């Protein structure tokens, strides 16, 4: 198959998988439209708030999976998801940096699918869980930064009680973690730039999606997570 056509199919597939609104589907299966309850968001946090902690965890894992699935699958298909990725034939040419940029596009498509779901008239969640899945799928360079950021998120939420604060803090730490990881794995400057770009995009997107939460944090009206310390 033509490399350009194959990549376009992967790109569309990643977006469609990312668009699956698991939180809404779980809620509807239980007779609740979570868009009309809690914060109205279709992500895991509101699913847990409306449906209970257990279902929130299920939704979180599914949202992680729809980011990790397309990203890791494409990486394995191209041979990029390995310790020493080869130069592979890709749409528009060949070479490590070009291939990584196209892998980046697959990952971003999955997150954009979650944030701007075609099934929800281009509305959706805030991209935290799906963004984490994307990082885990960028084996091996961004997997460890994703895990560290995830643990930082848990710690921040446990300490402060605010999911939104933990999400923004974890997202903002990603570019630094990505640069450190890329250098530790001996990646080239060009490759390191690509890894930095993908984490900057995720950090910016997640921060922008939390604008309302940031404003409520400033005003002292942001609700705390029920499972967090002091929540």
């Amino acid at each position: 198959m033509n490399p350009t056509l194959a990549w376009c199919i992967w790109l569309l597939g990643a977006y469609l998988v990312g668009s699956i609104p698991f939180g809404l589907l779980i809620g509807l299966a239980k007779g609740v439209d979570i868009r009309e309850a809690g914060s109205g968001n279709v992500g895991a946090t509101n699913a847990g708030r409306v449906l209970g902690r257990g279902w929130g965890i299920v939704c979180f894992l599914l949202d992680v999976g729809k980011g990790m699935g397309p990203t890791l699958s494409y990486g394995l298909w191209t041979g990029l998801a390995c310790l020493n990725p080869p130069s592979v034939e890709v749409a528009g040419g060949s070479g490590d940096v070009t291939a990584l940029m196209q892998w980046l596009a697959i990952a971003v498509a999955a997150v954009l699918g979650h944030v701007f779901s075609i099934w929800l008239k281009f509305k959706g969640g805030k991209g935290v869980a799906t963004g984490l899945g994307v990082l885990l799928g960028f084996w091996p360079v961004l997997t460890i930064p994703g895990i560290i950021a995830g643990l930082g998120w848990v710690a921040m939420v446990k300490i402060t009680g605010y999911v939104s604060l933990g999400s923004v803090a974890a997202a903002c730490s990603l570019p630094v973690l990505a640069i450190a990881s890329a250098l530790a794995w001996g990646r080239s400057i060009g490759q390191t730039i690509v890894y930095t770009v993908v984490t900057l995009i995720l950090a910016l997107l997640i921060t922008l999606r939390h604008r309302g939460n940031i404003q409520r944090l400033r005003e002292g009206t942001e609700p705390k997570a029920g499972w967090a310390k002091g929540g």
Side-chain angles (χ1 to χ4, degrees):
M1 181 183 292
N2 180 279
T4 301
L5 177 59
W7 178 71
C8 289
I9 292 173
W10 274 98
L11 197 66
L12 177 61
Y15 171 78
L16 292 176
V17 171
S19 291
I20 301 173
F22 285 117
L24 176 62
L25 294 176
I26 293 172
L28 292 177
K30 294 180 66 63
V32 179
D33 187 338
I34 65 172
R35 294 173 298 181
E36 300 176 356
S39 67
N41 192 272
V42 297
T45 299
N46 195 45
R49 182 180 295 118
V50 176
L51 305 174
R53 180 181 179 183
W55 287 113
I57 293 174
V58 170
C59 180
F60 176 81
L61 294 176
L62 289 172
D63 283 348
V64 169
K66 71 184 187 182
M68 181 177 178
T71 305
L72 182 59
S73 296
Y74 183 82
L76 292 172
W77 182 67
T78 57
L80 291 167
C82 60
L83 299 182
N84 296 297
S87 294
V88 295
E89 184 181 1
V90 294
S94 63
D96 297 341
V97 174
T98 303
L100 282 176
M101 290 178 66
Q102 293 180 354
W103 195 10
L104 154 67
I106 299 296
V108 171
V111 177
L112 289 177
H114 177 74
V115 175
F116 304 107
S117 173
I118 191 173
W119 315 118
L120 302 177
K121 299 180 179 179
F122 300 102
K123 297 179 181 180
K126 296 184 178 178
V128 177
T130 305
L132 172 60
V134 159
L135 295 174
L136 297 179
F138 268 101
W139 172 262
V141 176
L142 295 185
T143 304
I144 294 177
I147 293 173
I148 293 173
L151 293 175
W153 176 86
V154 172
M156 180 68 76
V157 177
K158 281 288 188 180
I159 293 170
T160 68
Y162 294 112
V163 172
S164 55
L165 182 59
S167 299
V168 173
C172 291
S173 72
L174 289 175
V176 175
L177 293 172
I179 292 172
S181 181
L183 294 177
W185 282 101
R187 297 302 191 248
S188 68
I189 295 298
Q191 292 171 322
T192 301
I193 291 173
V194 175
Y195 287 122
T196 305
V197 168
V198 68
T199 50
L200 281 172
I201 290 174
L202 288 175
L204 179 61
L205 182 60
I206 290 172
T207 301
L208 289 175
R209 293 293 290 175
H210 283 83
R211 293 192 306 273
N213 304 86
I214 294 171
Q215 182 61 34
R216 288 191 293 274
L217 284 168
R218 290 174 175 173
E219 296 171 351
T221 58
E222 177 75 349
K224 291 187 176 183
W227 54 268
K229 180 178 179 180

